[in-house]
Structure formats: C-alpha cells, structure tokens
Amino acid sequence: MGKTAVILVLGVILLILAGMNFSGSISSIHWYHRQKVTADDAPKYGRAMGIGTGIIGLCAIVTAALEAVTDWNLDAVIIGGCVVGLGVMLYAQVKYNHGLF
C-alpha cells in the first residue's frame, strides 16, 4: 500500500506541474533548460513540456489506482508512460531550446 500511495502522490504532483507548464508558465523548468527559448516560443515550449509531464503523471495515477484495486503489477504502464513522456519532453527541449542545455 505504501508504494501505491507514493506513486499516487507523485502522479498528482506531476499533473499539477504539467498544468502550470501547459498554461505557459515555464518557471518550474530549470533555467539552463529554458535559457535559449524565445519569448514567442515559450507558450509552445510550456505546452509541449506540460504534455510530457502530464503523460508521466497520468500514467502514475492510473498505475496507482489499478494497483490499489487489483493484485496486478503494472510497472510496465508507468515505465511506458515515462518513456513516452520523456520522449515528448526531449522533442520540445531540442526543438525550442535548440539543444539539451
């Protein structure tokens, strides 16, 4: 039960951060990851980073909810969500920041 609660709390925190980023506030992203993002691209960058963070958070919440009501081990769901979410975030990072740093 402890693992499920931790995953659920982490998922909720990630969804809150995703909402902030999606709305255009990119202040929660490290300064060196957003230093080359132009003012015109900031809303698009925030939206893309919010989508990536939201995918990870949503997969964490789904995993925690399903593990709470079943005996299934759904680590593959959260791992898949992390891979897809990080892929979206990497795409946004390279496209709008013109590199990783």
Coordinates of all heavy atoms in Angstrom, one line a residue:
M1 N 0.8 -1.2 0.0 CA 0.0 0.0 0.0 C 0.9 1.3 0.0 O 0.5 2.3 -0.6 CB -0.9 0.0 1.2 CG -1.9 1.1 1.3 SD -3.0 1.0 -0.1 CE -4.2 2.2 0.4
G2 N 2.0 1.2 0.6 CA 2.9 2.4 0.7 C 3.4 2.8 -0.7 O 3.5 4.0 -1.0
K3 N 3.8 1.8 -1.5 CA 4.3 2.1 -2.8 C 3.2 2.7 -3.7 O 3.5 3.7 -4.4 CB 4.7 0.7 -3.5 CG 5.1 0.9 -4.9 CD 5.4 -0.5 -5.6 CE 5.4 -0.4 -7.1 NZ 5.4 -1.7 -7.7
T4 N 2.0 2.2 -3.5 CA 0.8 2.8 -4.3 C 0.6 4.3 -3.9 O 0.4 5.1 -4.7 CB -0.4 1.9 -4.0 OG1 -0.1 0.6 -4.4 CG2 -1.6 2.4 -4.9
A5 N 0.7 4.6 -2.6 CA 0.4 5.9 -2.1 C 1.5 6.9 -2.6 O 1.2 8.0 -3.1 CB 0.4 6.0 -0.6
V6 N 2.8 6.4 -2.6 CA 3.9 7.2 -3.1 C 3.7 7.5 -4.6 O 3.9 8.7 -5.1 CB 5.2 6.6 -2.8 CG1 6.4 7.3 -3.6 CG2 5.5 6.5 -1.3
I7 N 3.3 6.5 -5.4 CA 3.1 6.7 -6.8 C 2.0 7.6 -7.1 O 2.0 8.5 -8.0 CB 2.9 5.3 -7.5 CG1 4.2 4.5 -7.5 CG2 2.5 5.5 -8.9 CD1 4.0 3.1 -8.0
L8 N 0.9 7.5 -6.3 CA -0.2 8.4 -6.5 C 0.1 9.8 -6.2 O -0.2 10.7 -6.9 CB -1.4 7.9 -5.6 CG -2.7 8.7 -5.7 CD1 -3.3 8.6 -7.0 CD2 -3.7 8.3 -4.6
V9 N 0.8 10.1 -5.1 CA 1.2 11.5 -4.7 C 2.1 12.0 -5.8 O 2.0 13.2 -6.2 CB 1.9 11.5 -3.3 CG1 2.5 12.8 -3.0 CG2 0.8 11.1 -2.2
L10 N 3.1 11.2 -6.2 CA 4.0 11.7 -7.3 C 3.2 12.0 -8.6 O 3.5 13.0 -9.2 CB 5.0 10.6 -7.6 CG 6.0 10.9 -8.7 CD1 6.9 12.1 -8.3 CD2 6.9 9.7 -9.0
G11 N 2.2 11.2 -8.9 CA 1.4 11.5 -10.1 C 0.6 12.8 -10.0 O 0.5 13.5 -10.9
V12 N 0.1 13.0 -8.8 CA -0.7 14.3 -8.6 C 0.3 15.5 -8.7 O -0.1 16.5 -9.3 CB -1.4 14.2 -7.2 CG1 -2.0 15.6 -6.9 CG2 -2.5 13.2 -7.2
I13 N 1.4 15.4 -8.1 CA 2.4 16.5 -8.2 C 2.8 16.8 -9.6 O 2.9 17.9 -10.1 CB 3.6 16.2 -7.3 CG1 3.3 16.3 -5.8 CG2 4.8 17.2 -7.6 CD1 4.3 15.8 -4.9
L14 N 3.0 15.7 -10.4 CA 3.4 15.9 -11.8 C 2.3 16.5 -12.6 O 2.5 17.3 -13.5 CB 3.9 14.5 -12.4 CG 5.2 14.0 -11.9 CD1 5.5 12.6 -12.4 CD2 6.3 15.0 -12.4
L15 N 1.0 16.1 -12.3 CA -0.1 16.7 -13.0 C -0.2 18.2 -12.7 O -0.6 19.0 -13.6 CB -1.4 15.9 -12.7 CG -1.7 14.7 -13.6 CD1 -3.0 14.1 -13.2 CD2 -1.6 15.0 -15.0
I16 N 0.0 18.5 -11.5 CA 0.0 20.0 -11.1 C 1.1 20.7 -11.9 O 0.8 21.8 -12.4 CB 0.1 20.2 -9.6 CG1 -1.1 19.6 -8.9 CG2 0.4 21.6 -9.2 CD1 -1.0 19.5 -7.4
L17 N 2.3 20.2 -11.9 CA 3.4 20.8 -12.7 C 3.0 20.9 -14.1 O 3.3 21.9 -14.8 CB 4.7 20.1 -12.4 CG 5.4 20.3 -11.1 CD1 6.6 19.4 -11.0 CD2 5.8 21.8 -11.0
A18 N 2.4 19.8 -14.6 CA 2.0 19.8 -16.1 C 1.0 20.9 -16.4 O 1.1 21.5 -17.4 CB 1.4 18.4 -16.4
G19 N 0.1 21.1 -15.5 CA -0.9 22.2 -15.7 C -0.3 23.5 -15.7 O -0.6 24.4 -16.5
M20 N 0.7 23.7 -14.8 CA 1.4 25.0 -14.8 C 2.2 25.2 -16.1 O 2.1 26.3 -16.7 CB 2.4 25.1 -13.6 CG 1.7 25.2 -12.2 SD 2.9 25.0 -10.9 CE 4.2 26.0 -11.3
N21 N 2.9 24.2 -16.5 CA 3.7 24.3 -17.8 C 2.7 24.5 -19.0 O 3.0 25.3 -19.8 CB 4.6 23.1 -18.0 CG 5.7 23.1 -17.0 OD1 6.1 24.1 -16.4 ND2 6.3 21.9 -16.8
F22 N 1.7 23.7 -19.0 CA 0.7 23.8 -20.1 C 0.1 25.2 -20.3 O -0.2 25.6 -21.4 CB -0.3 22.7 -20.0 CG -1.1 22.5 -21.2 CD1 -0.6 21.7 -22.2 CD2 -2.4 23.1 -21.4 CE1 -1.3 21.5 -23.4 CE2 -3.1 22.9 -22.6 CZ -2.6 22.1 -23.6
S23 N -0.1 25.8 -19.1 CA -0.7 27.2 -19.2 C 0.3 28.2 -19.6 O -0.1 29.4 -19.8 CB -1.3 27.5 -17.8 OG -0.3 27.7 -16.9
G24 N 1.5 27.9 -19.8 CA 2.5 28.8 -20.3 C 3.5 29.2 -19.3 O 4.5 29.9 -19.7
S25 N 3.4 28.9 -18.1 CA 4.4 29.2 -17.1 C 5.5 28.2 -17.1 O 5.3 27.0 -16.7 CB 3.7 29.2 -15.7 OG 4.7 29.4 -14.7
I26 N 6.7 28.6 -17.6 CA 7.8 27.7 -17.7 C 8.8 27.9 -16.6 O 9.9 27.4 -16.6 CB 8.5 27.7 -19.1 CG1 9.0 29.1 -19.4 CG2 7.5 27.3 -20.2 CD1 9.8 29.2 -20.6
S27 N 8.4 28.6 -15.5 CA 9.3 28.9 -14.4 C 9.7 27.7 -13.6 O 10.7 27.7 -12.9 CB 8.7 30.0 -13.5 OG 7.5 29.5 -13.0
S28 N 8.9 26.6 -13.7 CA 9.3 25.4 -12.9 C 10.3 24.6 -13.6 O 10.8 23.6 -13.0 CB 8.0 24.6 -12.7 OG 7.5 24.1 -13.9
I29 N 10.7 24.9 -14.8 CA 11.7 24.2 -15.6 C 13.0 24.9 -15.3 O 13.1 26.1 -15.3 CB 11.4 24.3 -17.1 CG1 10.0 23.6 -17.4 CG2 12.5 23.6 -17.9 CD1 9.5 23.8 -18.8
H30 N 14.1 24.1 -15.1 CA 15.4 24.7 -14.8 C 15.8 25.8 -15.8 O 15.5 25.6 -17.0 CB 16.5 23.6 -14.8 CG 16.4 22.6 -13.6 ND1 16.7 23.0 -12.4 CD2 16.0 21.4 -13.6 CE1 16.5 21.9 -11.6 NE2 16.0 20.9 -12.3
W31 N 16.5 26.8 -15.3 CA 16.8 27.9 -16.1 C 17.7 27.5 -17.3 O 17.6 28.1 -18.4 CB 17.5 29.0 -15.3 CG 18.8 28.6 -14.7 CD1 19.1 28.0 -13.5 CD2 20.1 28.7 -15.4 NE1 20.4 27.8 -13.4 CE2 21.1 28.2 -14.5 CE3 20.5 29.2 -16.6 CZ2 22.4 28.2 -14.8 CZ3 21.9 29.2 -16.9 CH2 22.8 28.7 -16.0
Y32 N 18.6 26.6 -17.1 CA 19.5 26.2 -18.2 C 18.8 25.3 -19.2 O 19.3 25.2 -20.3 CB 20.8 25.5 -17.6 CG 20.5 24.3 -16.7 CD1 20.2 23.0 -17.2 CD2 20.5 24.5 -15.3 CE1 19.9 22.0 -16.3 CE2 20.3 23.5 -14.5 CZ 20.0 22.2 -15.0 OH 19.8 21.2 -14.1
H33 N 17.6 24.8 -18.9 CA 16.9 24.1 -19.9 C 16.0 25.0 -20.8 O 15.5 24.6 -21.8 CB 16.0 23.0 -19.3 CG 16.7 21.8 -18.8 ND1 17.5 21.0 -19.7 CD2 16.9 21.3 -17.6 CE1 18.0 20.1 -19.0 NE2 17.7 20.2 -17.7
R34 N 15.8 26.2 -20.3 CA 14.9 27.2 -21.0 C 15.7 28.5 -21.4 O 15.0 29.4 -21.8 CB 13.7 27.5 -20.2 CG 14.0 28.1 -18.8 CD 12.7 28.3 -18.0 NE 12.9 28.4 -16.6 CZ 13.1 29.5 -16.0 NH1 13.0 30.7 -16.6 NH2 13.4 29.6 -14.7
Q35 N 17.0 28.5 -21.3 CA 17.7 29.8 -21.5 C 17.7 30.2 -22.9 O 17.8 31.4 -23.2 CB 19.1 29.7 -21.0 CG 20.0 28.7 -21.7 CD 21.4 28.6 -21.0 OE1 21.7 29.3 -20.1 NE2 22.2 27.7 -21.5
K36 N 17.5 29.3 -23.9 CA 17.5 29.7 -25.3 C 16.1 29.7 -25.9 O 16.0 29.9 -27.1 CB 18.4 28.7 -26.1 CG 19.8 28.7 -25.7 CD 20.6 27.7 -26.5 CE 22.0 27.5 -25.9 NZ 22.6 26.3 -26.5
V37 N 15.1 29.5 -25.1 CA 13.7 29.6 -25.5 C 13.3 31.0 -25.7 O 13.4 31.8 -24.8 CB 12.8 28.8 -24.6 CG1 11.3 29.0 -25.0 CG2 13.2 27.4 -24.4
T38 N 12.9 31.4 -26.9 CA 12.5 32.8 -27.1 C 11.1 33.1 -26.5 O 10.3 32.1 -26.1 CB 12.4 33.1 -28.6 OG1 11.3 32.3 -29.2 CG2 13.7 32.8 -29.3
A39 N 10.8 34.3 -26.3 CA 9.5 34.7 -25.7 C 8.3 34.2 -26.6 O 7.3 33.9 -26.0 CB 9.5 36.2 -25.5
D40 N 8.5 34.2 -27.9 CA 7.4 33.8 -28.8 C 7.2 32.2 -28.6 O 6.1 31.8 -28.8 CB 7.8 34.1 -30.2 CG 7.7 35.6 -30.5 OD1 7.0 36.3 -29.7 OD2 8.3 36.0 -31.5
D41 N 8.3 31.5 -28.4 CA 8.2 30.1 -28.3 C 7.9 29.6 -26.9 O 7.6 28.4 -26.7 CB 9.5 29.4 -28.8 CG 9.7 29.5 -30.3 OD1 8.7 29.6 -31.0 OD2 10.9 29.3 -30.7
A42 N 7.9 30.4 -25.9 CA 7.7 30.0 -24.5 C 6.4 29.3 -24.3 O 6.3 28.3 -23.7 CB 7.9 31.2 -23.6
P43 N 5.2 29.8 -24.8 CA 4.0 29.1 -24.7 C 4.0 27.7 -25.3 O 3.4 26.8 -24.8 CB 2.9 30.0 -25.3 CG 3.6 31.4 -25.3 CD 5.0 31.1 -25.5
K44 N 4.6 27.6 -26.5 CA 4.6 26.3 -27.2 C 5.5 25.4 -26.5 O 5.2 24.2 -26.3 CB 5.1 26.5 -28.6 CG 4.1 27.3 -29.5 CD 4.6 27.4 -30.9 CE 5.2 28.8 -31.1 NZ 5.7 29.1 -32.4
Y45 N 6.6 25.9 -26.0 CA 7.5 25.0 -25.2 C 6.9 24.6 -23.9 O 7.0 23.4 -23.6 CB 8.8 25.9 -24.9 CG 9.8 25.2 -24.0 CD1 10.6 24.1 -24.4 CD2 10.0 25.7 -22.7 CE1 11.5 23.5 -23.6 CE2 11.0 25.1 -21.9 CZ 11.7 24.0 -22.4 OH 12.6 23.4 -21.5
G46 N 6.2 25.5 -23.2 CA 5.5 25.1 -22.0 C 4.4 24.1 -22.2 O 4.2 23.2 -21.5
R47 N 3.7 24.3 -23.3 CA 2.6 23.3 -23.7 C 3.2 21.9 -23.9 O 2.7 20.9 -23.4 CB 1.9 23.8 -24.9 CG 0.4 23.5 -24.9 CD -0.4 24.2 -26.0 NE -0.3 25.7 -25.9 CZ 0.2 26.4 -27.0 NH1 0.5 25.9 -28.1 NH2 0.3 27.7 -26.8
A48 N 4.3 21.9 -24.7 CA 4.9 20.6 -25.0 C 5.5 19.9 -23.7 O 5.3 18.7 -23.5 CB 6.0 20.7 -26.1
M49 N 6.1 20.7 -22.9 CA 6.7 20.1 -21.7 C 5.6 19.7 -20.7 O 5.7 18.7 -20.0 CB 7.6 21.2 -21.0 CG 8.9 21.5 -21.8 SD 9.9 20.1 -22.0 CE 10.9 20.2 -20.5
G50 N 4.5 20.5 -20.7 CA 3.3 20.1 -19.9 C 2.7 18.8 -20.4 O 2.2 18.0 -19.6
I51 N 2.6 18.6 -21.7 CA 2.1 17.4 -22.2 C 2.9 16.2 -21.8 O 2.4 15.2 -21.3 CB 1.9 17.4 -23.7 CG1 0.8 18.4 -24.1 CG2 1.7 16.0 -24.3 CD1 0.7 18.7 -25.6
G52 N 4.2 16.3 -21.9 CA 5.1 15.3 -21.5 C 5.0 15.0 -20.0 O 4.9 13.8 -19.6
T53 N 5.0 16.0 -19.2 CA 4.9 15.8 -17.7 C 3.5 15.2 -17.4 O 3.4 14.4 -16.5 CB 5.1 17.2 -17.0 OG1 6.3 17.8 -17.5 CG2 5.2 17.0 -15.5
G54 N 2.5 15.7 -18.1 CA 1.2 15.2 -17.8 C 1.0 13.7 -18.2 O 0.3 13.0 -17.5
I55 N 1.7 13.3 -19.2 CA 1.6 11.8 -19.6 C 2.2 11.0 -18.5 O 1.7 10.0 -18.1 CB 2.3 11.6 -20.9 CG1 1.5 12.2 -22.1 CG2 2.6 10.1 -21.2 CD1 2.3 12.2 -23.4
I56 N 3.4 11.4 -18.0 CA 4.0 10.7 -16.9 C 3.1 10.7 -15.6 O 3.0 9.7 -15.0 CB 5.4 11.3 -16.6 CG1 6.3 11.1 -17.8 CG2 6.0 10.6 -15.4 CD1 7.6 11.9 -17.7
G57 N 2.6 11.9 -15.3 CA 1.7 11.9 -14.1 C 0.5 11.1 -14.2 O 0.1 10.4 -13.3
L58 N -0.1 11.2 -15.4 CA -1.4 10.4 -15.6 C -1.1 8.9 -15.5 O -1.9 8.2 -14.9 CB -2.0 10.8 -16.9 CG -3.4 10.2 -17.2 CD1 -4.4 10.8 -16.2 CD2 -3.8 10.6 -18.6
C59 N 0.0 8.5 -16.1 CA 0.3 7.0 -16.1 C 0.6 6.6 -14.6 O 0.3 5.5 -14.2 CB 1.5 6.7 -17.0 SG 1.1 6.7 -18.7
A60 N 1.2 7.5 -13.8 CA 1.5 7.2 -12.4 C 0.2 7.0 -11.7 O 0.0 6.1 -10.9 CB 2.4 8.2 -11.8
I61 N -0.8 7.9 -11.9 CA -2.1 7.9 -11.2 C -2.8 6.6 -11.6 O -3.4 5.9 -10.8 CB -2.9 9.2 -11.5 CG1 -2.2 10.3 -10.7 CG2 -4.3 9.0 -11.0 CD1 -2.8 11.7 -11.1
V62 N -2.9 6.3 -12.9 CA -3.6 5.1 -13.4 C -2.9 3.9 -12.8 O -3.6 3.0 -12.4 CB -3.6 5.1 -15.0 CG1 -4.0 3.7 -15.5 CG2 -4.4 6.2 -15.5
T63 N -1.6 3.8 -12.8 CA -0.9 2.7 -12.2 C -1.3 2.5 -10.7 O -1.6 1.4 -10.3 CB 0.6 2.8 -12.4 OG1 0.9 2.9 -13.7 CG2 1.3 1.7 -11.7
A64 N -1.2 3.6 -10.0 CA -1.5 3.5 -8.5 C -3.0 3.1 -8.3 O -3.3 2.3 -7.4 CB -1.3 4.9 -7.9
A65 N -3.9 3.7 -9.1 CA -5.3 3.3 -8.9 C -5.6 1.9 -9.2 O -6.3 1.2 -8.5 CB -6.2 4.2 -9.8
L66 N -5.0 1.4 -10.3 CA -5.3 0.0 -10.7 C -4.6 -1.0 -9.7 O -5.1 -2.0 -9.4 CB -4.8 -0.3 -12.1 CG -5.7 0.4 -13.2 CD1 -5.1 0.1 -14.6 CD2 -7.1 -0.2 -13.2
E67 N -3.4 -0.6 -9.2 CA -2.7 -1.5 -8.3 C -3.4 -1.5 -6.9 O -3.3 -2.5 -6.2 CB -1.3 -1.1 -8.1 CG -0.4 -1.5 -9.3 CD 1.1 -1.3 -9.0 OE1 1.4 -0.7 -8.0 OE2 1.9 -1.7 -9.9
A68 N -4.2 -0.4 -6.6 CA -4.9 -0.4 -5.4 C -6.1 -1.3 -5.4 O -6.5 -1.8 -4.3 CB -5.3 1.1 -5.1
V69 N -6.7 -1.5 -6.5 CA -7.9 -2.3 -6.6 C -7.7 -3.7 -7.1 O -8.6 -4.5 -7.1 CB -9.0 -1.6 -7.4 CG1 -9.4 -0.3 -6.7 CG2 -8.6 -1.3 -8.8
T70 N -6.5 -4.0 -7.7 CA -6.2 -5.3 -8.2 C -4.9 -5.8 -7.6 O -4.2 -5.1 -6.9 CB -6.1 -5.3 -9.7 OG1 -4.9 -4.5 -10.1 CG2 -7.3 -4.7 -10.4
D71 N -4.6 -7.0 -7.9 CA -3.3 -7.6 -7.5 C -2.3 -7.6 -8.6 O -1.2 -8.2 -8.5 CB -3.5 -9.1 -7.0 CG -4.3 -9.2 -5.7 OD1 -4.3 -8.2 -5.0 OD2 -4.9 -10.2 -5.5
W72 N -2.6 -6.9 -9.7 CA -1.7 -6.8 -10.8 C -0.5 -6.0 -10.5 O -0.6 -4.9 -9.8 CB -2.4 -6.3 -12.0 CG -3.6 -7.1 -12.5 CD1 -3.9 -8.3 -12.2 CD2 -4.7 -6.5 -13.2 NE1 -5.1 -8.7 -12.7 CE2 -5.6 -7.6 -13.4 CE3 -4.9 -5.3 -13.8 CZ2 -6.8 -7.4 -14.1 CZ3 -6.1 -5.2 -14.5 CH2 -7.0 -6.2 -14.7
N73 N 0.7 -6.3 -11.1 CA 1.9 -5.5 -11.0 C 1.9 -4.7 -12.3 O 2.2 -5.3 -13.4 CB 3.1 -6.4 -10.8 CG 4.3 -5.5 -10.6 OD1 4.3 -4.3 -10.7 ND2 5.5 -6.2 -10.4
L74 N 1.7 -3.4 -12.3 CA 1.6 -2.6 -13.5 C 2.8 -1.7 -13.7 O 2.6 -0.6 -14.2 CB 0.3 -1.8 -13.5 CG -1.0 -2.7 -13.4 CD1 -2.2 -1.8 -13.1 CD2 -1.2 -3.4 -14.7
D75 N 3.9 -2.2 -13.3 CA 5.1 -1.3 -13.5 C 5.4 -1.0 -15.0 O 5.9 0.1 -15.3 CB 6.4 -2.0 -12.9 CG 6.3 -2.1 -11.4 OD1 5.5 -1.3 -10.8 OD2 7.0 -2.9 -10.8
A76 N 4.9 -1.8 -15.9 CA 5.1 -1.6 -17.3 C 4.3 -0.3 -17.8 O 4.8 0.4 -18.7 CB 4.7 -2.8 -18.1
V77 N 3.2 -0.1 -17.2 CA 2.4 1.1 -17.5 C 3.2 2.4 -17.2 O 3.3 3.3 -18.0 CB 1.0 1.1 -16.8 CG1 0.3 2.4 -17.1 CG2 0.2 -0.1 -17.3
I78 N 3.7 2.4 -16.0 CA 4.4 3.6 -15.6 C 5.7 3.8 -16.3 O 6.1 4.9 -16.7 CB 4.6 3.7 -14.0 CG1 4.9 5.1 -13.6 CG2 5.7 2.7 -13.6 CD1 4.8 5.3 -12.1
I79 N 6.4 2.7 -16.6 CA 7.6 2.7 -17.4 C 7.3 3.2 -18.8 O 8.0 4.1 -19.4 CB 8.4 1.4 -17.4 CG1 8.9 1.1 -16.0 CG2 9.5 1.4 -18.4 CD1 9.5 -0.3 -15.8
G80 N 6.3 2.7 -19.4 CA 5.9 3.1 -20.7 C 5.5 4.6 -20.8 O 5.9 5.3 -21.7
G81 N 4.8 5.1 -19.7 CA 4.4 6.5 -19.6 C 5.6 7.4 -19.5 O 5.7 8.4 -20.1
C82 N 6.6 6.9 -18.7 CA 7.9 7.7 -18.6 C 8.6 7.8 -19.9 O 9.1 8.8 -20.3 CB 8.8 7.0 -17.5 SG 8.2 7.3 -15.8
V83 N 8.7 6.7 -20.6 CA 9.4 6.7 -21.9 C 8.7 7.6 -22.9 O 9.3 8.5 -23.6 CB 9.5 5.2 -22.5 CG1 9.9 5.3 -24.0 CG2 10.4 4.4 -21.7
V84 N 7.4 7.5 -23.0 CA 6.6 8.4 -23.9 C 6.7 9.9 -23.5 O 7.0 10.8 -24.3 CB 5.1 8.0 -24.1 CG1 4.3 9.0 -24.8 CG2 5.1 6.6 -24.7
G85 N 6.5 10.1 -22.2 CA 6.5 11.5 -21.7 C 7.9 12.1 -21.8 O 8.0 13.3 -22.2
L86 N 8.9 11.4 -21.5 CA 10.3 11.9 -21.7 C 10.6 12.1 -23.1 O 11.4 13.1 -23.5 CB 11.3 11.0 -21.0 CG 11.3 11.0 -19.5 CD1 12.3 9.9 -18.9 CD2 11.7 12.3 -18.9
G87 N 10.1 11.3 -24.0 CA 10.3 11.5 -25.4 C 9.7 12.8 -25.9 O 10.3 13.6 -26.7
V88 N 8.5 13.1 -25.4 CA 7.8 14.4 -25.8 C 8.6 15.5 -25.2 O 8.8 16.6 -25.9 CB 6.4 14.4 -25.3 CG1 5.8 15.8 -25.4 CG2 5.5 13.4 -26.0
M89 N 9.1 15.4 -24.0 CA 9.9 16.5 -23.4 C 11.2 16.7 -24.1 O 11.7 17.8 -24.3 CB 10.1 16.2 -21.9 CG 8.8 16.2 -21.1 SD 8.9 15.5 -19.5 CE 9.8 16.9 -18.6
L90 N 11.8 15.6 -24.5 CA 13.1 15.7 -25.2 C 12.9 16.4 -26.6 O 13.7 17.2 -27.0 CB 13.7 14.3 -25.4 CG 15.0 14.2 -26.1 CD1 16.1 15.0 -25.3 CD2 15.4 12.8 -26.4
Y91 N 11.8 16.0 -27.2 CA 11.5 16.7 -28.5 C 11.3 18.2 -28.3 O 11.8 19.0 -29.1 CB 10.2 16.1 -29.1 CG 9.6 16.9 -30.2 CD1 10.1 16.8 -31.5 CD2 8.5 17.7 -30.0 CE1 9.6 17.6 -32.5 CE2 8.0 18.5 -31.0 CZ 8.5 18.4 -32.3 OH 8.0 19.2 -33.3
A92 N 10.5 18.6 -27.3 CA 10.3 20.0 -27.0 C 11.6 20.7 -26.7 O 11.9 21.8 -27.1 CB 9.3 20.2 -25.9
Q93 N 12.5 20.0 -25.9 CA 13.8 20.6 -25.5 C 14.6 20.9 -26.7 O 15.2 22.0 -26.8 CB 14.4 19.7 -24.5 CG 15.7 20.2 -23.9 CD 15.4 21.4 -23.0 OE1 14.3 21.5 -22.4 NE2 16.4 22.2 -22.8
V94 N 14.7 19.9 -27.6 CA 15.6 20.1 -28.8 C 15.0 21.1 -29.7 O 15.7 22.0 -30.3 CB 15.8 18.8 -29.4 CG1 16.5 18.9 -30.8 CG2 16.7 17.8 -28.5
K95 N 13.7 21.1 -29.9 CA 13.1 22.0 -30.9 C 13.1 23.5 -30.4 O 13.4 24.3 -31.2 CB 11.6 21.6 -31.1 CG 10.9 22.4 -32.1 CD 9.6 21.9 -32.5 CE 9.0 22.9 -33.6 NZ 7.7 22.4 -34.0
Y96 N 12.7 23.7 -29.2 CA 12.5 25.1 -28.7 C 13.8 25.7 -28.0 O 14.0 26.9 -28.0 CB 11.3 25.2 -27.8 CG 10.0 24.9 -28.6 CD1 9.3 23.8 -28.3 CD2 9.6 25.7 -29.6 CE1 8.1 23.5 -29.0 CE2 8.4 25.4 -30.3 CZ 7.7 24.3 -30.0 OH 6.6 24.0 -30.7
N97 N 14.6 24.8 -27.4 CA 15.8 25.3 -26.7 C 17.0 25.1 -27.6 O 18.1 25.5 -27.2 CB 16.0 24.6 -25.4 CG 17.0 25.3 -24.5 OD1 16.9 26.5 -24.3 ND2 17.9 24.6 -23.9
H98 N 16.8 24.4 -28.7 CA 17.9 24.2 -29.7 C 19.1 23.4 -29.1 O 20.2 23.7 -29.3 CB 18.4 25.5 -30.3 CG 17.3 26.3 -30.9 ND1 16.6 26.0 -32.0 CD2 16.8 27.5 -30.4 CE1 15.7 26.9 -32.2 NE2 15.8 27.8 -31.3
G99 N 18.7 22.4 -28.3 CA 19.7 21.5 -27.6 C 19.2 21.2 -26.2 O 18.2 21.7 -25.8
L100 N 20.0 20.3 -25.6 CA 19.6 19.9 -24.3 C 19.9 20.9 -23.2 O 19.2 21.0 -22.2 CB 20.3 18.6 -23.9 CG 19.9 17.4 -24.7 CD1 20.6 16.1 -24.3 CD2 18.4 17.1 -24.7
F101 N 20.9 21.7 -23.4 CA 21.3 22.7 -22.4 C 21.5 24.1 -23.0 O 21.7 24.3 -24.1 CB 22.6 22.3 -21.7 CG 22.5 21.0 -20.9 CD1 23.0 19.9 -21.4 CD2 21.8 21.0 -19.7 CE1 22.9 18.7 -20.7 CE2 21.7 19.8 -19.0 CZ 22.2 18.6 -19.5

